[in-house]
Amino acid sequence: MSILTPRRNAILSVLLLTATPADAQPNFTAIPIDVDGGTNAKSIDSADLDGDGNVDFVASRGIAVRWYKYDGIGNFTAQDIVTGSGYATVFAADVDGDGDIDVISGNEQTDTVQWHENDGASTPTFTTHTLFTEADLVTCVFAADVDGDGDTDILSASVLDETIRWYENDGMENFTAHDLATGNDIFSGAGAIFASDVDGDGDIDVLAANRSAIQWFENDGSENFTARDINTSIVNGYSIFAADMDGDGDTDVISASFFSVPGDDPNPIFQWYENDGNTPPSFVTRVVLNSNFDPTSVYAADVDQDGDLDIVTTMSDFSNGEDETIWHENDGGSPPGFTPHIAYDVITITPWDIIVADVDNDGDVDILTAAASGLVMWLESDLVPDGACCLPTGSCAVNSEPSCQNANGTYQGDGVVCGDVSCPPAIPADFDFDGDVDLIDFQQFQQYFTGQQ
């Protein structure tokens, strides 16, 4: 049995979106979600935390783990899950198997790995459980069913003790820590991890980007792991991701790592590694982008909806504060080549992490970034056009037609702005804003006027 976390499910969901013309290329509009400067936002993940059908997301904020509730019409409300300095990494998954999404975090100051239990309410509250207190400078957490027993296990990577651990869930949310790789097995301090079935044998393997190598750790099906090298010529691996980049049915790998200090000659900072399909697989290294910037994050998604997976990256030139979020268009070749397109280019943001999801539920994929400046940003794709939407509340918002319909609104047409329309007022006694007066509305209407509410 395979348990797919929201981050892993994102790859599947973007491949199922409606295809657009082959030459379609999105532009992105930058929408700030949280501008709380001075709170280093290092990590971000997306999931429907409140079960309302909208894509929410969660970020580590340095001073807190914070989630952002999306109302479906362009507005986010920030709420802290837990506060305290040092939170550096987050991951969203249903840890306790109760059908709602919990949050996993790592704190680089206290060296703790925690999970925060969602109570399932419409506006959920979270109970914090500590799994481990000795993950020395924890940099990454992840979730997957490592032992194949049907529940969600947790993984962590920590730099100073040079250890990847997995925490075995007994099905009752009691966790046992196991060292998956330490010391010489992972060279020197894993900075990022990812879990996927790399060799196609039905169990979960683990990938790592560390200070001197990209590696994968082969699970023998009994949770004994063998370290296997993918690339031993890197310096400081920042990010790693796994997906089928060439469409041949096996799992390829993408990494972000830098070879030099800013200002040196461009080096291959983003690479993908083609799985040859053998048992165990070998990997052919292929360059995605050469640059003298420092890379910070990689992700795979079908950005242009042409049926293959593109690569989304963030990078920064720390020497002058220039930053770029880029999507690299997959040309569908064998093997594929990648053409870079800038999604967002701004100064002194320093994006640390990205997630790709259809935030506004309009049928195209958007990009979310978390930055060292404390800025959390939504880069909205225009692949599906927007227009004015008259909402049941009587107000107007600019949304895509699918998003407008999801909000029970009336779409006014592509490119139409709210200033050019006059939306009808809200229906009297329509308390649930669904466009009509039903029994529930009438009962609330009676209670309001009889003083019973």
Side-chain angles (χ1 to χ4, degrees):
M1 178 178 181
S2 174
I3 289 185
L4 291 175
T5 63
R7 184 182 289 258
R8 293 174 69 196
N9 263 327
I11 305 171
L12 301 181
S13 65
V14 297
L15 283 174
L16 296 175
L17 295 174
T18 302
T20 56
D23 59 351
Q25 291 186 2
N27 296 303
F28 293 87
T29 300
I31 303 171
I33 303 301
D34 194 341
V35 293
D36 187 5
T39 56
N40 193 353
K42 286 188 174 181
S43 178
I44 193 167
D45 203 1
S46 64
D48 182 8
L49 293 176
D50 55 2
D52 64 354
N54 296 319
V55 175
D56 311 304
F57 62 97
V58 60
S60 63
R61 298 296 315 214
I63 59 171
V65 174
R66 185 171 295 170
W67 77 282
Y68 301 83
K69 175 182 173 65
Y70 183 54
D71 66 359
I73 56 173
N75 304 303
F76 289 88
T77 303
Q79 301 178 50
D80 288 344
I81 293 175
V82 63
T83 59
S85 62
Y87 284 102
T89 177
V90 292
F91 197 93
D94 184 5
V95 175
D96 51 6
D98 63 353
D100 53 42
I101 301 298
D102 310 298
V103 176
I104 305 160
S105 68
N107 190 304
E108 63 185 4
Q109 292 184 11
T110 63
D111 302 330
T112 55
V113 177
Q114 299 173 319
W115 74 282
H116 310 277
E117 182 180 0
N118 186 334
D119 67 1
S122 57
T123 301
T125 58
F126 295 83
T127 302
T128 297
H129 305 274
T130 298
L131 301 185
F132 199 71
T133 59
E134 298 178 6
D136 200 355
L137 193 62
V138 58
T139 56
C140 188
V141 291
F142 206 91
D145 185 8
V146 176
D147 52 5
D149 63 353
D151 53 37
T152 301
D153 308 303
I154 295 173
L155 300 102
S156 71
S158 42
V159 172
L160 296 184
D161 58 4
E162 300 183 343
T163 302
I164 298 173
R165 294 180 177 88
W166 74 281
Y167 306 88
E168 181 181 0
N169 187 345
D170 67 357
M172 301 295 292
E173 296 75 62
N174 301 303
F175 290 87
T176 302
H178 303 278
D179 289 353
L180 189 152
T182 60
N184 291 334
D185 287 338
I186 58 170
F187 292 96
S188 56
I193 51 175
F194 197 95
S196 183
D197 184 7
V198 176
D199 51 3
D201 63 355
D203 54 39
I204 295 296
D205 309 300
V206 177
L207 296 122
N210 60 66
R211 291 176 182 170
S212 57
I214 304 298
Q215 291 182 298
W216 72 284
F217 298 88
E218 181 181 1
N219 186 345
D220 67 358
S222 298
E223 299 77 64
N224 302 303
F225 292 87
T226 300
R228 300 191 183 279
D229 295 338
I230 296 176
N231 186 348
T232 58
S233 300
I234 69 158
V235 177
N236 286 348
Y238 274 21
S239 182
I240 193 164
F241 201 91
D244 184 8
M245 301 309 303
D246 50 5
D248 64 354
D250 53 36
T251 300
D252 307 303
V253 180
I254 318 164
S255 73
S257 57
F258 69 84
F259 289 68
S260 62
V261 297
D264 284 359
D265 291 336
N267 287 287
I269 61 172
F270 298 113
Q271 299 179 89
W272 76 280
Y273 308 95
E274 183 181 359
N275 186 331
D276 66 4
N278 289 329
T279 305
S282 297
F283 293 85
V284 177
T285 300
R286 302 190 184 280
V287 175
V288 177
L289 183 69
N290 290 296
S291 176
N292 54 17
F293 279 41
D294 288 331
T296 52
S297 190
V298 293
Y299 204 95
D302 188 4
V303 176
D304 54 3
Q305 296 180 35
D306 63 352
D308 51 38
L309 286 176
D310 310 299
I311 297 174
V312 185
T313 64
T314 56
M315 62 184 187
S316 178
D317 185 344
F318 295 114
S319 63
N320 63 22
E322 185 177 354
D323 310 296
E324 290 182 350
T325 299
I326 299 174
W327 73 278
H328 307 262
E329 181 181 1
N330 186 332
D331 65 8
S334 181
F338 293 88
T339 302
H341 306 277
I342 293 178
Y344 190 57
D345 187 358
V346 72
I347 304 298
T348 65
I349 298 298
T350 313
W352 283 124
D353 196 17
I354 49 174
I355 192 81
V356 179
D358 184 8
V359 175
D360 49 1
N361 197 27
D362 64 353
D364 56 30
V365 294
D366 310 299
I367 302 171
L368 292 160
T369 65
S373 64
L375 178 65
V376 176
M377 183 79 76
W378 171 22
L379 303 179
E380 182 186 4
S381 170
D382 69 353
L383 208 56
V384 174
D386 287 339
C389 173
C390 288
L391 299 169
T393 59
S395 61
C396 180
V398 175
N399 272 313
S400 67
E401 185 171 6
S403 297
C404 183
Q405 293 172 346
N406 291 334
N408 297 313
T410 303
Y411 192 63
Q412 304 299 306
D414 295 349
V416 177
V417 297
C418 285
D420 293 339
V421 300
S422 178
C423 292
I427 297 174
D430 181 12
F431 282 83
D432 55 3
F433 298 118
D434 63 352
D436 56 28
V437 177
D438 51 35
L439 179 60
I440 294 175
D441 291 319
F442 185 71
Q443 290 173 338
Q444 292 184 354
F445 183 76
Q446 283 183 312
Q447 291 170 355
Y448 179 82
F449 279 99
T450 59
Q452 297 176 13
Q453 178 170 297

